[in-house]
Amino acid sequence: LPLASSASATVSPAELRMGCCGYIFNAIAVGLIAYAAHYGYKEASSKPDYGPAYALPDWWWKARLPDSVSLIDASDAEGLKKVLFGGDPWLLQCYSGLPFAGQHLPRPYRVHPAFKDALGSMGGGVRGGLIDCEARLPSNKNVV
């Protein structure tokens, strides 16, 4: 192929600005994708029980909660009385509403596989609940 002449190789300032903006946009997009991939890998590898799907956002997990599992609000005194003292059997899983590195409790809406298995093995006679065990109760105490 013949090389382009120097007259056709000149770039106008408008084309140069467009290429520069496109380059910056692409660089930012690649950086965000790399950060998201690193965050997802870091979260998934720090929680081996949950697998790589652990790093998905909270709304994804909330939409996929099993029907037999309810979210229990620690600030609702009447709801807590029903769960803890109502007489119906409940199996509760704690979660942590405080995001910090090295925590041992799962994040909100993540149902541990062992919790699901335990609910399934009880044949529907027990309701499941997720509660933030680090949240303050109306009595200014916490669950744990």
Side-chain angles (χ1 to χ4, degrees):
L1 294 170
L3 294 174
S5 67
S6 62
S8 66
T10 59
V11 178
S12 71
E15 291 174 332
L16 185 60
R17 277 193 304 271
M18 197 62 156
C20 178
C21 290
Y23 173 78
I24 290 173
F25 174 76
N26 287 337
I28 290 171
V30 167
L32 289 173
I33 291 169
Y35 175 76
H38 172 71
Y39 176 78
Y41 173 76
K42 182 177 72 171
E43 283 294 312
S45 63
S46 68
K47 311 284 190 217
D49 292 342
Y50 293 93
Y54 180 80
L56 292 169
D58 288 342
W59 58 264
W60 190 89
W61 287 97
K62 187 176 182 180
R64 284 155 182 81
L65 276 177
D67 292 334
S68 60
V69 177
S70 304
L71 292 174
I72 300 166
D73 185 11
S75 63
D76 179 19
E78 290 303 315
L80 279 175
K81 283 181 187 175
K82 262 188 213 175
V83 170
L84 298 176
F85 306 113
D88 294 331
W90 281 79
L91 180 63
L92 298 176
Q93 174 185 311
C94 287
Y95 71 84
S96 175
L98 304 172
F100 58 90
Q103 69 184 7
H104 299 289
L105 294 174
R107 292 183 52 207
Y109 316 117
R110 272 62 166 187
V111 177
H112 196 280
F115 184 77
K116 277 186 193 174
D117 292 344
L119 279 176
S121 69
M122 293 181 193
V126 174
R127 295 198 56 197
L130 299 176
I131 186 168
D132 185 355
C133 290
E134 295 176 343
R136 292 284 173 195
L137 300 174
S139 63
N140 205 21
K141 297 179 180 177
N142 61 2
V143 175
V144 189

